[in-house]
């Protein structure tokens, strides 16, 4: 299983978010580091993958409305690909 831990206290910009996702989930070299490309990659993943978000409020503070768009993209990918699991830890 691929596991990606996103700590909202450490994800201070979009670049860090996408770099963390790309490294942890072993996304392909063509990954465009944007939400459309993320959705495409997540729906193509052939093994179980877990994305765990810690400190959601901090992520929103750093990324603003992009944090909400990120969550929506991942939730949509989860609906399309049952191998993707998105967990938000509300108490850290």
């Amino acid at each position: 299983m691929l596991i990606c831990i996103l700590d909202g206290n450490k994800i201070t910009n979009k670049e860090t978010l996408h770099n963390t996702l790309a490294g942890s989930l072993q996304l392909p070299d063509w990954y465009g580091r944007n939400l459309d490309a993320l959705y495409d990659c997540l729906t193509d993943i052939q093994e179980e993958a877990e994305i765990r978000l810690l400190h959601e409020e901090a992520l929103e503070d750093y990324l603003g409305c992009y944090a909400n768009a990120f969550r929506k993209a991942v939730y949509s990918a989860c609906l399309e690909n049952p191998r993707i699991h998105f967990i938000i830890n509300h108490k850290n």
Side-chain angles (χ1 to χ4, degrees):
M1 173 183 272
L2 299 170
I3 298 175
C4 179
I5 308 281
L6 298 172
D7 184 342
N9 288 327
K10 297 178 182 174
I11 306 290
T12 59
N13 56 52
K14 295 175 193 177
E15 181 180 357
T16 303
L17 172 67
H18 288 287
N19 287 342
T20 304
L21 289 161
S24 298
L25 299 176
Q26 302 171 8
L27 299 181
D29 291 338
W30 56 262
Y31 172 52
R33 288 170 166 64
N34 62 63
L35 296 179
D36 289 333
L38 176 63
Y39 174 84
D40 291 342
C41 288
L42 292 178
T43 56
D44 285 344
I45 286 181
Q46 296 300 307
E47 64 182 286
E48 295 290 318
E50 177 180 293
I51 301 170
R52 184 175 298 268
L53 176 58
L54 311 175
H55 305 110
E56 179 182 28
E57 299 81 17
L59 187 73
E60 291 175 359
D61 289 344
Y62 286 120
L63 301 184
C65 62
Y66 195 82
N68 189 47
F70 162 73
R71 283 191 305 270
K72 286 181 180 180
V74 175
Y75 280 131
S76 293
C78 289
L79 292 173
E80 185 74 25
N81 185 347
R83 293 177 194 94
I84 306 300
H85 310 282
F86 187 38
I87 299 163
I88 297 176
N89 287 60
H90 293 285
K91 294 190 178 202
N92 303 314

